[in-house]
Amino acid sequence: MKKISGSDAIMQVLVKEGVQTIFGYPGGAIMPIYDALYNYSDKLNHILTRHEQGAIHAAQGYSRVSGKVGVCFATSGPGATNLITGLADAQIDSTPLVCITGQVPSHLLGTDAFQESDIIGISMPVTKWNNQITNADKISEIMSKAFYIAASGRPGPVLIDITKDAQFAKIKFTYKKCEKIRSYHPYPILNKDSIKKASDLINNSKKPLILVGQGVLLSNAEKELIQFSEKSGIPMASTLLGLSAISCIHKNYVGFLGMHGNYGPNIKTNEADLLIAIGMRFDDRVTGDTSKYGINAKIIHIEIDQSEINKIIKVDVAINADAKQALINLLPFINKNEYKNWMSEFKKCDEIEFNKIIKKELNHDGKEIKMTEVIHLISEMTDGKSIIVTDVGQHQMIASRYYKFTKPKSNITSGGLGTMGFALPASLGAKLGQPKREVIAIIGDGGIQMTIQELATISQYNIGVKIILLNNNFLGMVRQWQELFFENRYSFTEMKNPDFQKIAEGYGIKNNKVENKSKLKKSIQKLLDYKNAYLLEVVVEKEENVFPMVTSGDSVSNIRLE
């Protein structure tokens, strides 16, 4: 058998695992891998980002829309440590990644050699698994395990650190796809008794509510969820990462949960007699004060990660299973039903929210453009069919409230970690993951400046992302909290921003700026009609606030409308 280098073995594994796109940034310790990659340009598409954090966020965006494992490369030391934010983000948001870092030669480990860092120790808390390869003979086995662990069960990021001598070493390469690891059981055995107990609670409930989490999307259970809701007649509300698992125009969809979610599903959480949580983890932004959450409800929790069950909210029935498997097994036991009076209560809440907030936001007399108007227009003009990639802050919450998603895997955002700078690189990854779909990045003026260099990546590879920059010259969400809870003391949140048009021009990206509300729709249409990358800067009201709002640590029953 012909011997190949460790670096060639890595390429072979990537090809056999079905990898098509890699995001990365080369450096000394990973140079042998990049040298091997040179000969695989017909099979592996490498995207050179401008920062390692950009590479990992791009891999996240690619994974979230495609359902595949995202892959990124980085060199040792600072290259590897620049991945940490993305690893933490992927870990908490359950995004499957395989990150490959180069490392100094094995004989230099522990000597503080140039660009050496203990990336295994550093990354351990923010990865699902990590491993350092110092022996090239282990490459095939470890890499195969990496892909299996990243994608199986509750997905997550894996980091593989490979010393430079292992990259150079010659080995006899064989490949066997990993399908099982001793002591690792990613798919729990479904407890049929739990299914029966859950169905009894469901069939006897008077005011049930389904809480839809990202687990529905990760298990591709969108169809089963709709069948479950339509047969049972139970209304559905979505977490931030669960958005787009069901169409926002579905008759049983009642809105977005959480701190800045819709009035109805938040306030009715404490009036429901049964909460059915599917693939969600009862995040604090959803629950508020846990001692006052679901106070009248029995709780069913469908969750693949056993450690999440009873971690935050004590449940009455736990179904430790993949969401799709659980729903398939639950469906035959569910009675055909409808809840007309219960559903009408949500509609009354919608009317209250519309009259108190939405009508004023969309029909105001002021000259300044509101972020809500921008998102509402984009939603209408795209029929809710685009992939929306948001950064973190006010615009993120407004996009989640006002964009009416109609297709699955369309809401790409940083949920648990709340990473500013996420959207620009994640959007280019998303576009490469779904090149036939419209990808729109909605970003604030604070977030875009954290990873603005990735405009160069978009330009170099002609990635047709549409970027809408909502510029209020503030770190908007922090400013809102300073206004509401710190007596208008705007401590270091106002920003003097650069000329974004000149920056976009410098990167060779078509751009426009709109400040006049009368020109907004035409400007958005121009962006949508353009075939390649386009940046539209929209100057919006400086001190716009996002409501409804559940004050941090308060009960969801005390949601504020103003």
Side-chain angles (χ1 to χ4, degrees), residues 455 458-459 462 465-467 500-501 503-513 526-527 529-537:
L455 288 174
I458 290 169
S459 179
N462 195 27
V465 174
K466 308 299 171 60
I467 304 158
F500 290 110
Q501 288 1 96
I503 292 174
E505 287 168 11
Y507 284 116
I509 291 175
K510 186 79 172 175
N511 61 87
N512 191 19
K513 182 177 182 177
K526 190 174 180 181
L527 168 135
D529 290 341
Y530 195 69
K531 291 182 179 180
N532 298 317
Y534 194 106
L535 186 149
L536 174 63
E537 179 185 357

Side-chain angles (χ1 to χ4, degrees), residues 363-518:
N363 300 297
H364 70 100
D365 296 326
K367 294 181 181 180
E368 292 182 296
I369 301 170
K370 287 184 175 288
M371 288 183 277
T372 49
E373 295 175 284
V374 181
I375 305 301
H376 178 72
L377 268 177
I378 295 167
S379 183
E380 286 193 332
M381 294 167 74
T382 60
D383 295 322
K385 295 178 180 178
S386 295
I387 292 172
I388 301 297
V389 186
T390 53
D391 216 82
V392 173
Q394 286 182 314
H395 70 276
Q396 177 191 35
M397 295 296 100
I398 290 171
S400 301
R401 285 175 44 75
Y402 285 86
Y403 194 86
K404 302 303 179 186
F405 297 97
T406 58
K407 297 185 72 173
K409 293 183 173 64
S410 296
N411 174 51
I412 312 302
T413 195
S414 172
L417 198 65
T419 305
M420 289 180 68
F422 173 85
L424 190 61
S427 66
L428 74 88
K431 184 63 178 177
L432 291 169
Q434 289 286 355
K436 293 183 179 180
R437 291 189 65 187
E438 187 79 87
V439 175
I440 302 174
I442 297 171
I443 315 179
D445 48 310
I448 197 169
Q449 292 183 78
M450 290 192 169
T451 51
I452 199 167
Q453 72 281 348
E454 299 310 331
L455 288 174
T457 310
I458 290 169
S459 179
Q460 178 173 345
Y461 295 98
N462 195 27
I463 302 169
V465 174
K466 308 299 171 60
I467 304 158
I468 294 184
L469 169 57
L470 299 177
N471 185 0
N472 59 8
N473 291 103
F474 264 114
L475 297 175
M477 187 61 85
V478 184
R479 184 214 56 77
Q480 177 170 334
W481 281 57
Q482 289 173 336
E483 176 187 335
L484 298 176
F485 309 115
F486 294 89
E487 300 176 344
N488 293 89
R489 293 193 297 274
Y490 293 166
S491 179
F492 300 99
T493 47
E494 190 164 8
M495 304 181 77
K496 181 179 180 181
N497 286 322
D499 186 330
F500 290 110
Q501 288 1 96
K502 287 183 178 179
I503 292 174
E505 287 168 11
Y507 284 116
I509 291 175
K510 186 79 172 175
N511 61 87
N512 191 19
K513 182 177 182 177
V514 58
E515 301 178 69
N516 190 319
K517 190 160 55 172
S518 65

Side-chain angles (χ1 to χ4, degrees), residues 125-412:
V126 291
T127 51
K128 188 176 178 184
W129 185 61
N130 64 15
N131 193 284
Q132 186 175 76
I133 299 175
T134 59
N135 182 345
D137 289 323
K138 295 288 187 180
I139 285 174
S140 180
E141 176 191 354
I142 298 300
M143 289 287 293
S144 185
K145 279 185 179 180
F147 278 91
Y148 177 66
I149 291 171
S152 58
R154 180 180 178 177
V158 171
L159 183 138
I160 303 299
D161 192 45
I162 309 176
T163 59
K164 199 168 184 180
D165 51 320
Q167 297 172 44
F168 275 124
K170 297 291 184 179
I171 59 170
K172 293 179 180 179
F173 174 78
T174 58
Y175 170 81
K176 183 180 179 182
K177 190 173 180 66
C178 181
E179 296 178 336
K180 186 178 180 180
I181 299 173
R182 184 181 177 183
S183 77
Y184 172 58
H185 306 290
Y187 301 104
I189 297 171
L190 185 68
N191 185 321
K192 295 298 178 71
D193 288 340
S194 294
I195 292 291
K196 187 65 174 65
K197 288 177 183 177
S199 64
D200 288 342
L201 285 178
I202 293 166
N203 291 333
N204 290 292
S205 63
K206 304 300 181 186
K207 292 185 174 183
L209 177 61
I210 297 169
L211 311 180
V212 179
Q214 189 188 199
V216 173
L217 290 159
L218 293 172
S219 64
N220 298 307
E222 299 94 335
K223 178 183 174 183
E224 288 74 18
L225 173 66
I226 295 299
Q227 290 173 339
F228 175 66
S229 175
E230 290 181 349
K231 183 178 181 181
S232 66
I234 301 174
M236 299 176 284
S238 174
T239 66
L240 175 63
L241 293 185
L243 285 171
S244 82
I246 64 267
S247 170
C248 290
I249 59 175
H250 190 279
K251 63 178 182 177
N252 288 356
Y253 180 70
V254 294
F256 167 45
L257 293 160
M259 181 175 278
H260 291 288
N262 294 112
Y263 181 61
N266 273 298
I267 204 162
K268 293 299 174 184
T269 296
N270 278 353
E271 296 177 27
D273 65 359
L274 178 65
L275 297 176
I276 308 161
I278 308 175
M280 56 88 75
R281 57 186 180 84
F282 292 107
D283 176 76
D284 62 287
R285 291 297 169 105
V286 168
T287 64
D289 184 350
T290 54
S291 68
K292 299 175 183 177
Y293 180 80
I295 52 178
N296 294 304
K298 297 285 187 181
I299 297 175
I300 298 168
H301 195 184
I302 298 172
E303 171 59 50
I304 197 167
D305 184 353
Q306 190 173 19
S307 70
E308 293 291 351
I309 297 174
N310 291 315
K311 184 175 86 172
I312 295 170
I313 298 293
K314 184 79 170 64
V315 304
D316 296 278
V317 178
I319 302 177
N320 182 205
D322 171 81
K324 190 183 187 82
Q325 182 192 24
L327 289 171
I328 288 171
N329 280 271
L330 195 56
L331 200 58
F333 295 96
I334 301 302
N335 295 337
K336 182 76 175 172
N337 207 343
E338 59 182 11
Y339 297 89
K340 289 184 178 179
N341 292 336
W342 179 227
M343 289 293 293
S344 69
E345 292 185 35
F346 285 94
K347 289 183 171 59
K348 289 175 184 176
C349 288
D350 289 343
E351 290 173 10
I352 292 170
E353 183 176 344
F354 180 80
N355 290 323
K356 284 272 190 179
I357 300 171
I358 298 172
K359 184 167 68 174
K360 295 175 184 177
E361 296 284 354
L362 299 181
N363 300 297
H364 70 100
D365 296 326
K367 294 181 181 180
E368 292 182 296
I369 301 170
K370 287 184 175 288
M371 288 183 277
T372 49
E373 295 175 284
V374 181
I375 305 301
H376 178 72
L377 268 177
I378 295 167
S379 183
E380 286 193 332
M381 294 167 74
T382 60
D383 295 322
K385 295 178 180 178
S386 295
I387 292 172
I388 301 297
V389 186
T390 53
D391 216 82
V392 173
Q394 286 182 314
H395 70 276
Q396 177 191 35
M397 295 296 100
I398 290 171
S400 301
R401 285 175 44 75
Y402 285 86
Y403 194 86
K404 302 303 179 186
F405 297 97
T406 58
K407 297 185 72 173
K409 293 183 173 64
S410 296
N411 174 51
I412 312 302

